[in-house]
Amino acid sequence: MLPDMTGQSTKSTLWRVVVAIAAALGASNAWGLGDEPRPGETVTQYLTPEILQALFPGADKVGEVSGTPPAASVSKGGHQLGYLFSTWDVTQSKGFSNRALILLVGVDLTGHITAARLVHHTEPIGILGIKDELFHRFVDNYKGHDLNEGVDIVSELSSSVLGPGSFSQRSAPGSSAAVKVDAVSRATTSSVLMSDAIVRGGRIVARSRGILGAPKTRNALDIDRFAPADWTQLEAAGAIGHLRVGYSELRDK
């Protein structure tokens, strides 16, 4: 049960908020094995007063899940605190099992993640003897994360011929200013996929609502937005170029 911090009336209000979202969307609270949730359905199904308070302490109002990408405004006493979204709605997040991987995430008005909660996954962790609670602890690392900062998932090398140490998922270990987060042992792929769902989803929502600040570095690779382009368009954008070198030029060098 949710601790009675604000009284019975607040708890009742929060429950009414959750029920109101379900009524507004007209979504079903269940989806069959092999099916994929509809947009907005996962927020309706998994948002509880406890999760709402974990994402936005003191929040007393949640708006409808709407917009592009879908997200819900969250407020306290008439003042907006930020936005709540489901990673499934924003990034179509899937796990190592290639099945829906769903986290509810909060983003405040300064472009920081308030918290994230893993609410659904079908990762094959049982066979590896990994406790489900380790994934819940893993997503706690993203509380307060600045969405302008990169994340580097680091795996511990427990049985490497190189001896004890760690392996960075980025191409240049040790040289990145990205925030380092330890992967769940023996579940590195799942950890990377969860990280991507939280951070990329948060950036997409924050950018769409005008609350993502400018990157701290002058040059930054935008991995959140993608648009197909043909060869001519890539040339015009300066993404690719041509250099013709003849044999005689090479011979003279």
Side-chain angles (χ1 to χ4, degrees), residues 1-18 49 52-53 58-61:
M1 295 295 292
L2 182 68
D4 192 3
M5 300 179 186
T6 57
Q8 187 66 32
S9 61
T10 299
K11 287 194 288 185
S12 299
T13 299
L14 294 177
W15 276 115
R16 287 198 297 271
V17 165
V18 175
L52 177 60
Q53 291 305 303
D60 55 21
K61 183 179 179 182

Side-chain angles (χ1 to χ4, degrees), residues 31-98:
W31 32 285
L33 187 64
D35 293 340
E36 293 186 347
R38 294 185 296 271
E41 188 176 39
T42 52
V43 173
T44 303
Q45 181 172 357
Y46 294 111
L47 181 61
T48 66
E50 290 84 356
I51 291 178
L52 177 60
Q53 291 305 303
L55 300 182
F56 291 97
D60 55 21
K61 183 179 179 182
V62 179
E64 292 185 11
V65 180
S66 60
T68 305
S73 174
V74 180
S75 304
K76 174 183 178 182
H79 298 285
Q80 186 178 4
L81 300 176
Y83 294 92
L84 179 155
F85 71 93
S86 162
T87 57
W88 177 259
D89 290 342
V90 179
T91 67
Q92 290 286 287
S93 49
K94 292 185 178 181
F96 181 78
S97 62
N98 199 36

Side-chain angles (χ1 to χ4, degrees), residues 141-164:
N141 287 297
Y142 294 84
K143 184 175 182 178
H145 177 71
D146 183 345
L147 288 168
N148 279 308
E149 297 286 349
V151 175
D152 186 4
I153 302 299
V154 179
S155 303
E156 293 299 321
L157 300 175
S158 57
S159 57
S160 169
V161 293
L162 301 176

Side-chain angles (χ1 to χ4, degrees), residues 4-246:
D4 192 3
M5 300 179 186
T6 57
Q8 187 66 32
S9 61
T10 299
K11 287 194 288 185
S12 299
T13 299
L14 294 177
W15 276 115
R16 287 198 297 271
V17 165
V18 175
V19 171
I21 294 176
L25 296 173
S28 168
N29 279 349
W31 32 285
L33 187 64
D35 293 340
E36 293 186 347
R38 294 185 296 271
E41 188 176 39
T42 52
V43 173
T44 303
Q45 181 172 357
Y46 294 111
L47 181 61
T48 66
E50 290 84 356
I51 291 178
L52 177 60
Q53 291 305 303
L55 300 182
F56 291 97
D60 55 21
K61 183 179 179 182
V62 179
E64 292 185 11
V65 180
S66 60
T68 305
S73 174
V74 180
S75 304
K76 174 183 178 182
H79 298 285
Q80 186 178 4
L81 300 176
Y83 294 92
L84 179 155
F85 71 93
S86 162
T87 57
W88 177 259
D89 290 342
V90 179
T91 67
Q92 290 286 287
S93 49
K94 292 185 178 181
F96 181 78
S97 62
N98 199 36
R99 299 275 301 281
L101 173 66
I102 305 170
L103 301 101
L104 297 185
V105 184
V107 176
D108 67 20
L109 299 179
T110 66
H112 289 74
I113 293 173
T114 60
R117 285 293 179 270
L118 176 63
V119 295
H120 175 86
H121 76 87
T122 52
E123 298 301 80
I125 59 176
I127 15 182
L128 299 176
I130 300 173
K131 294 182 179 179
D132 192 52
E133 64 188 54
L134 294 178
F135 282 137
H136 293 282
R137 289 184 197 167
F138 172 77
V139 301
D140 283 342
N141 287 297
Y142 294 84
K143 184 175 182 178
H145 177 71
D146 183 345
L147 288 168
N148 279 308
E149 297 286 349
V151 175
D152 186 4
I153 302 299
V154 179
S155 303
E156 293 299 321
L157 300 175
S158 57
S159 57
S160 169
V161 293
L162 301 176
S166 61
F167 172 74
S168 168
Q169 298 302 310
R170 289 177 174 259
S171 59
S175 65
S176 172
V179 176
K180 296 189 182 299
V181 176
D182 290 331
V184 175
S185 179
R186 293 175 294 162
T188 302
T189 301
S190 296
S191 301
V192 170
L193 293 170
M194 288 184 189
S195 177
D196 173 74
I198 295 170
V199 177
R200 186 161 57 91
R203 286 173 178 164
I204 293 171
V205 169
R207 182 182 290 114
S208 70
R209 269 63 178 184
I211 55 177
L212 187 64
K216 291 180 171 55
T217 57
R218 180 172 298 177
N219 297 317
L221 176 63
D222 184 355
I223 63 172
D224 304 322
R225 290 181 287 186
F226 169 78
D230 59 27
W231 194 269
T232 303
Q233 291 170 323
L234 291 172
E235 285 184 300
I240 58 176
H242 293 284
L243 176 63
R244 184 181 297 276
V245 181

